[in-house]
Amino acid sequence: MKHVLRLASAALATLLVGSAFGQITNTPHNLNNFGVTVDRNQVCLPCHVPHNAYPYNYTDPLQRRALWNHAETTQTFTMYTTTSGHTGTGPEGPSKMCLSCHDGVTAVDNYGGTTSGSHFITGSARVGTDLSNDHPIGIAYPTGDPGYNDPSGFQGVQLVTINGTQRVECTSCHEPHNNSMGNFLRRTLNESRLCLECHNK
Ligand code: HEC
Ligand code: HEC
Ligand code: HEC
Ligand code: HEC
């Protein structure tokens, strides 16, 4: 009996360690899965570095805070304008970080100072530079508007504060380290729960 218990707890420990290790490793955000050879399979390195960070001349303070190690997009983006006439600002902060690969123009392997990368995102994961056909980002959250739920009740999504304004950015719906719900989403698409966290429809 004791023996069986010991075996069971060993298996459990392996499972726990395994899942903690696997969270980003087995996702498309491990660039090794995208044909890029990263030194010693360092999953974090194309995006973050612990020392001598900011190898590129960033203009965005939020990138400096994330110890960001990736080249920054230099593209000009077309933003979304809502029916009430609000146009998104940016991209800035985390959205600019995402678009520094998902613009399809900046090489995913341009990190750590490299500028000669040759791997680009194509197909449906290429968000591109025209954001006018994508859910608005860089857009202020209309707290108090009856069409929108109070952020204090959010269970998965989040708002991002940039220059003192609470906004919807890419990371409002996505968590780039966790793909357990697919598409790195913060909330399930079942019954459109992701959308209904914000929209009171
Ligand atoms: C494909 C790019 C990418 C990879 C790979 C990646 N990250 Fe991140 N990480 C981001 C982005 C983008 C942000 C900023 C998100 C935000 O501000 O919400 C971030 C933020 C963070 C933060 C600060 C905010 C938070 O979520 O706690 C930590 C800590 C972090 N990453 C750790 C890691 C570690 C450790 C690894 C490797 C195991 C890793 N990241 C791999 C893109 C990445
Ligand atoms: C984190 C909060 C949040 C989430 C999650 C969210 N939205 Fe939005 N959505 C907004 C905000 C804020 C606006 C812009 C409001 C404005 O300025 O008029 C918006 C705008 C829109 C618009 C454009 C409205 C217009 O007037 O042009 C549509 C359509 C929309 N959202 C649909 C969705 C759908 C579908 C989902 C789920 C896949 C979703 N939203 C998830 C916050 C959110
Ligand atoms: C260092 C480059 C890089 C950065 C930075 C990056 N991604 Fe990605 N992402 C990728 C690659 C490569 C893929 C795989 C594309 C493919 O398979 O065609 C991917 C795939 C995805 C997918 C599809 C996942 C799936 O299951 O198919 C989503 C969603 C995504 N990224 C969102 C984001 C968001 C949101 C951010 C910012 C918070 C971000 N990414 C930042 C490189 C990046
Ligand atoms: C309002 C929520 C919301 C915001 C904001 C948002 N996304 Fe998404 N994203 C989704 C949902 C839901 C999906 C899955 C359904 C789909 O593919 O359209 C998705 C899918 C994706 C995919 C995978 C597409 C594919 O078919 O492979 C990528 C890549 C992606 N998002 C990147 C981004 C980036 C980059 C930003 C910021 C510029 C962003 N997203 C902002 C909700 C959002």
Side-chain angles (χ1 to χ4, degrees):
M1 186 59 192
K2 233 183 196 167
H3 185 64
V4 171
L5 271 179
R6 211 179 299 129
L7 268 182
S9 64
L12 188 68
T14 314
L15 210 87
L16 290 174
V17 170
S19 60
F21 173 74
Q23 194 175 68
I24 190 168
T25 303
N26 298 322
T27 75
H29 278 170
N30 179 349
L31 290 197
N32 293 279
N33 298 335
F34 195 67
V36 175
T37 307
V38 183
D39 176 46
R40 280 166 287 166
N41 195 11
Q42 294 178 78
V43 183
C44 318
L45 193 62
C47 293
H48 308 280
V49 71
H51 298 291
N52 301 312
Y54 337 123
Y56 304 91
N57 193 18
Y58 298 136
T59 48
D60 193 320
L62 288 169
Q63 260 146 300
R64 298 185 70 89
R65 205 177 64 193
L67 294 171
W68 199 238
N69 195 33
H70 200 274
E72 180 182 69
T73 178
T74 56
Q75 300 301 302
T76 304
F77 293 84
T78 308
M79 306 305 284
Y80 187 106
T81 300
T82 68
T83 43
S84 39
H86 306 141
T87 303
T89 313
E92 295 174 313
S95 298
K96 193 164 197 178
M97 299 184 214
C98 307
L99 290 165
S100 292
C101 284
H102 286 279
D103 64 358
V105 181
T106 314
V108 300
D109 43 348
N110 275 356
Y111 62 88
T114 301
T115 52
S116 58
S118 57
H119 291 73
F120 299 90
I121 295 180
T122 58
S124 62
R126 180 189 189 278
V127 176
T129 58
D130 181 0
L131 307 181
S132 66
N133 59 352
D134 299 289
H135 189 283
I137 57 145
I139 201 101
Y141 191 76
T143 305
D145 181 322
Y148 291 83
N149 294 316
D150 193 308
S152 63
F154 286 174
Q155 288 176 38
V157 304
Q158 62 169 22
L159 301 175
V160 178
T161 304
I162 299 181
N163 298 329
T165 306
Q166 286 197 302
R167 295 187 190 167
V168 175
E169 300 289 351
C170 308
T171 49
S172 295
C173 300
H174 295 285
E175 157 49 286
H177 310 95
N178 187 337
N179 205 19
S180 57
M181 282 183 262
N183 279 310
F184 296 104
L185 289 174
R186 292 185 169 271
R187 191 82 159 96
T188 177
L189 285 178
N190 293 348
E191 282 118 31
S192 291
R193 266 177 237 147
L194 176 86
C195 316
L196 290 169
E197 288 231 343
C198 293
H199 292 275
N200 181 17
K201 293 278 182 224

